[in-house]
Amino acid sequence: MYSVQKVPPLSPYFCQLCGKKGGWGARRWRSTIAGVSLAFSPESATPQGGRRGVLTLPHGVVQTPVFMPVGTAATVKAVPQGVLEELGAEIILANTYHLYLRPGHELIRRLGGVHRFMSWPRPMLTDSGGFQVFSLAKMRKVSPEGVEFQSHLDGSKHFFSPEHSMAVQIALGADIMMVFDECVETPASWERTRDSMALTHAWAERSKQYWMEHRQEVPWAQEFSGHQALFGIVQGGMYADLRRESAERLVEMDLPGYAIGGLAVGEPREVTREMIALTLEHLPKDKPRYVMGVGYPDEIEEYARMGVDMMDCVLPTRAGRHGLLFVREDPANRSSPVLRLNIKKLEFAEDQRPLDEDCGCPVCRRYTRAYLRHLFASGEPLGAALNSIHNLAFYFETMQRVRGEL
Amino acid sequence: MYSVQKVPPLSPYFCQLCGKKGGWGARRWRSTIAGVSLAFSPESATPQGGRRGVLTLPHGVVQTPVFMPVGTAATVKAVPQGVLEELGAEIILANTYHLYLRPGHELIRRLGGVHRFMSWPRPMLTDSGGFQVFSLAKMRKVSPEGVEFQSHLDGSKHFFSPEHSMAVQIALGADIMMVFDECVETPASWERTRDSMALTHAWAERSKQYWMEHRQEVPWAQEFSGHQALFGIVQGGMYADLRRESAERLVEMDLPGYAIGGLAVGEPREVTREMIALTLEHLPKDKPRYVMGVGYPDEIEEYARMGVDMMDCVLPTRAGRHGLLFVREDPANRSSPVLRLNIKKLEFAEDQRPLDEDCGCPVCRRYTRAYLRHLFASGEPLGAALNSIHNLAFYFETMQRVRGEL
């Protein structure tokens, strides 16, 4: 859908899209920290609101607002890389925690970084491992220095500090890495949230320091120009004053981009929306703004219209593996409400229609609901794969519409 | 790799390949039973021995010797239909026993047959259900009338007779169906094997009778010309005299093709080879000869050279799901011995080579052994899919070489 291009080194004089000296792109870009090869150009508001941008990263260009599929263990579960390319995925995530434990970041570094390891030539982003340490690992001991935890795989003991998270992410070599943060439990008191936020800010400073000194050390430094970008993560729980303080504190650090973390953790959706809206007000307009771990198709559309540039979520693939499929209520009207089909229901047993009659994905072009129901009911692995592919296509189409491409 | 073409009704005067009256194909074909739209043309010996042929079936043309992937529940496990086409699969199997139990043959008939149900436009073959009734089902009671058994899925009681197996296979609508046979346990005495064989022969007669009366009733009769072909199955265990008797008895029935069943059930490979060789001597040279349920890549190559035209086996996909991958000992020499890589071994953890350096499959073109090992070690579903795809490609390449296409 989009071609991937090798991006020349950032220059304030040359447009990185057209390649011409003083081209339109050159005027819109800014190097947020000297030498950071990340350029963000919010071109214009999208037809439905929000903003339309282009992220230029070492491994290619990303049209924003963008939805990023999650490839936890260097694979978007059950979906081959070629299919992701065909669907138009321009950037995917990988999870630092998982890859650190298995196969190990040093192995991935020796093999040339996560792009080469998984044969994914387009941009990638790694999280810091913080969220997984707090949600997956057994036994956690948090100190100002970092977190001691036990692997959920084999119970082995590990220690993550901000410096160690950066070192692991540099070895993985994604285009964008994230500061190491503490994720507070939900619900949490104001005092608990404030203390956790303070720790996150101290860790962000240490993450930045390590990144500044080592960001050139990516495994692909010889092949691709540019280096990794580091994004900060705004915390502050469900407290408006803390969210604001966190945003202001991080903006002072002048990082290439900012994420809003600690949302979609069980709070009502109105609260999520409110926290996003008030945090966005305190984030710079000329840098990418990323809401982590959201959401349903109508949510990602809504947040994109509010001015969010990047989102990621396991939902399309996880729901697909559980037989939940996203379709439009009125297939001919791609702005109509989103329905969730539970494909295992008997009503689909002889339904010869595609999942979504106006969806152009490879699943809807070839297979019927009846067949997908049969695959799911029989526990056939092809079912999980096809369901995941359709759901991802649905998310990409939603974002294309928000970007005004459809 | 091969195009699929709609096949005109069989005529002794017109070549079904070039379409011309008296074309070369017309001279080589024979209609084995009036009206059977199956034409077999053993063109010549392959460079390595064996014989080179073309099967013309209602849903397309199949180059023989051919290896047929097994799509048990109307899906070749973990492999999308489009990938099978890309790999060059010209005919696949489906299992009557599985589809009868789930989703049910009447449902598949209502949806237009198994081709349309699973969106597979090329030829298919269904087995009779006999082998699964004897290997999977719980509680079996065999009588001259048929077999009563309990579903391995839910314990429900069912009864299969030759007539019922034919009715189910006609509802599924594959291009080739198989007579209902009893599969004797291994090892079995001569007397037990002889009695079982006699039952198989009686059932073959009844299968043929039902087929003759109902073969036009396929769900796709309006869309595709021609009807289903019925193959007989030679039994006789590991006894040369019984194999010969079984072959002669079945040949008298003048069926469109013949399978050799009841092999690769635990006997030494020399015995398998001996039974195939002696049975082939008693089968007509102008009809397709199919050995059921074999085998390793070197076996299918060997049997093809002995004059076998068709083979099927779950091995490439099952081995793939278990991390066993077939490669050539010397990748540059495609006739060198076959090796089995156990991808979970530590020695592959940092191996950046493709599985098989001279294999042109989509897996070897994109992924390293190190990545495939990681996927397998992490239990990622993509691992099973990619391993299955490579193994199938390896089987197809082996057959292409036997056919002299490479």
Side-chain angles (χ1 to χ4, degrees), chain A residues 72-82 85 99 102-103 107 110-112 116-121 321 349-352 366-368 370-371 374-375 377-382 386, chain B residues 72-82 85 99 102-103 107 110-112 116-121 321 349-352 366-368 370-371 374-375 377-382 386:
Chain A
T72 301
T75 162
V76 175
K77 279 197 195 304
V79 183
Q81 277 71 316
E85 290 173 347
L99 293 176
R102 190 170 59 192
L107 182 149
R110 286 193 296 274
L111 300 190
R116 182 185 278 193
F117 177 63
M118 69 177 288
S119 185
W120 178 255
R321 293 197 302 282
E350 304 200 18
D351 192 335
Q352 301 218 53
R366 180 150 200 167
Y367 303 103
T368 63
Y371 184 60
H374 165 68
L375 292 178
S378 306
E380 283 290 339
L382 187 60
L386 296 180
Chain B
T72 302
T75 162
V76 175
K77 279 198 196 304
V79 182
Q81 277 73 315
E85 289 173 347
L99 293 176
R102 190 170 58 190
L107 183 149
R110 286 193 295 274
L111 300 189
R116 182 185 278 192
F117 178 63
M118 68 177 289
S119 184
W120 177 255
R321 293 198 302 282
E350 304 200 18
D351 192 334
Q352 301 218 53
R366 180 151 200 164
Y367 302 103
T368 63
Y371 184 60
H374 165 67
L375 291 178
S378 306
E380 283 290 339
L382 187 61
L386 297 180

Side-chain angles (χ1 to χ4, degrees), chain B residues 165-244:
Chain B
S165 169
M166 293 303 107
V168 172
Q169 290 188 75
I170 288 169
L172 298 176
D175 299 74
I176 299 172
M177 52 196 222
M178 305 299 298
V179 299
F180 191 64
D181 59 337
E182 192 192 27
C183 300
V184 81
E185 64 282 359
T186 308
S189 69
W190 186 89
E191 289 74 14
R192 164 79 184 102
T193 307
R194 178 202 55 195
D195 294 346
S196 169
M197 183 188 77
L199 187 62
T200 285
H201 294 166
W203 286 359
E205 283 285 11
R206 285 164 54 190
S207 297
K208 179 185 169 188
Q209 187 62 33
Y210 192 96
W211 166 71
M212 295 282 280
E213 291 162 8
H214 299 273
R215 60 191 170 177
Q216 300 284 6
E217 296 165 10
V218 279
W220 37 263
Q222 301 303 313
E223 290 169 273
F224 293 89
S225 54
H227 54 71
Q228 294 176 287
L230 179 68
F231 280 22
I233 304 177
V234 175
Q235 291 289 352
M238 308 306 157
Y239 301 100
D241 56 341
L242 297 181
R243 284 276 167 192
R244 176 185 173 163

Side-chain angles (χ1 to χ4, degrees), chain B residues 41-77:
Chain B
S41 148
E43 290 173 22
S44 63
T46 62
Q48 296 85 3
R51 56 203 213 144
R52 177 76 178 81
V54 176
L55 275 176
T56 303
L57 297 162
H59 289 81
V61 166
V62 176
Q63 306 296 324
T64 63
V66 66
F67 176 78
M68 307 183 284
V70 179
T72 302
T75 162
V76 175
K77 279 198 196 304

Side-chain angles (χ1 to χ4, degrees), chain A residues 61-84:
Chain A
V61 166
V62 177
Q63 306 296 323
T64 64
V66 66
F67 176 79
M68 307 182 286
V70 179
T72 301
T75 162
V76 175
K77 279 197 195 304
V79 183
Q81 277 71 316
V83 174
L84 288 172

